[in-house]
Amino acid sequence: MLRHFRMLADYNRWANVQIYETAAQLSDAEFHEDRGAFFGSLHGTLNHLLVTDQLWMHRFNGTGETPAALGVVLHDDLAELRSAREAEDRHIMDWIETLDDAALAADVTYTSVLRPGAITHPLHLAVAHMFNHHTHHRGQCHMILTSMGKPSLVLDLLHFLRGEGQRWMST
């Protein structure tokens, strides 16, 4: 399971690069335009992903920021947002490297931004959720970009594994 999460952290970083490279081709108005996604614009969606990663990493290891709401705008500027995203992806990858099977099996307890009260479950379930959450919202980013007439991004995990992620193909 640990190797799988390391691979997902690397894939997550790679997929974020694809989204941000395409976002850099947009005008500022296009980047901020409400396109009907859950967080409105590409800007809102990418901010949300950074917010939630900061929340999860704080829950996991007690470090980093703890935004008060899921829709907080951490960075209005794409370049600043991209720099923060790259730093957070490194933070996630570095943290995953510190884990072992016992840590993944141990419980994590936290309080949700959305619901009062403690929530407890094995760490591995929360880590899986964090990566799945990214896939969900990157799909929205893809929808936003294609609705603007941008070429369709190939974000498939297997595409990553056949290219930059080949090191994860061996056992």
Side-chain angles (χ1 to χ4, degrees):
M1 184 180 313
L2 187 54
R3 180 174 166 77
H4 183 71
F5 284 140
R6 287 178 177 152
M7 182 265 306
L8 287 176
D10 194 24
Y11 165 72
N12 187 62
R13 175 210 48 82
W14 172 86
N16 287 333
V17 167
Q18 308 315 303
I19 294 288
Y20 276 87
E21 284 181 356
T22 304
Q25 299 170 21
L26 301 176
S27 70
D28 191 60
E30 289 173 317
F31 181 59
H32 287 86
E33 182 182 341
D34 188 334
R35 301 298 287 193
F38 195 79
F39 290 91
S41 63
L42 187 57
H43 168 257
T45 304
L46 293 176
N47 262 282
H48 169 70
L49 282 170
L50 184 58
V51 163
T52 56
D53 279 352
Q54 288 180 350
L55 287 168
W56 280 115
M57 292 308 295
H58 186 78
R59 293 166 181 165
F60 295 158
N61 68 9
T63 65
E65 301 295 319
T66 56
L70 298 179
V72 168
V73 173
L74 299 174
H75 301 281
D76 199 47
D77 176 75
L78 176 61
E80 291 175 7
L81 185 60
R82 185 177 194 167
S83 179
R85 173 77 267 156
E86 290 168 352
E88 195 64 30
D89 286 343
R90 281 190 304 276
H91 184 206
I92 292 167
M93 292 177 74
D94 290 346
W95 174 72
I96 293 283
E97 289 298 321
T98 71
L99 299 177
D100 58 23
D101 290 337
L104 286 171
D107 283 345
V108 61
T109 299
Y110 60 92
T111 302
S112 170
V113 172
L114 299 175
R115 284 177 284 219
I119 299 169
T120 301
H121 48 71
L123 178 63
H124 70 89
L125 295 178
V127 174
H129 168 77
M130 181 179 70
F131 290 126
N132 186 64
H133 180 258
H134 262 275
T135 299
H136 166 70
H137 283 294
R138 271 196 305 266
Q140 292 177 345
C141 292
H142 183 272
M143 179 276 305
I144 291 168
L145 291 165
T146 56
S147 74
M148 291 179 168
K150 300 299 175 191
S152 184
L153 295 171
V154 179
L155 298 174
D156 292 337
L157 175 61
L158 289 176
H159 179 77
F160 163 72
L161 293 172
R162 288 190 301 264
E164 187 177 321
Q166 284 184 3
R167 68 185 164 280
W168 299 108
M169 295 289 276
S170 63
T171 56

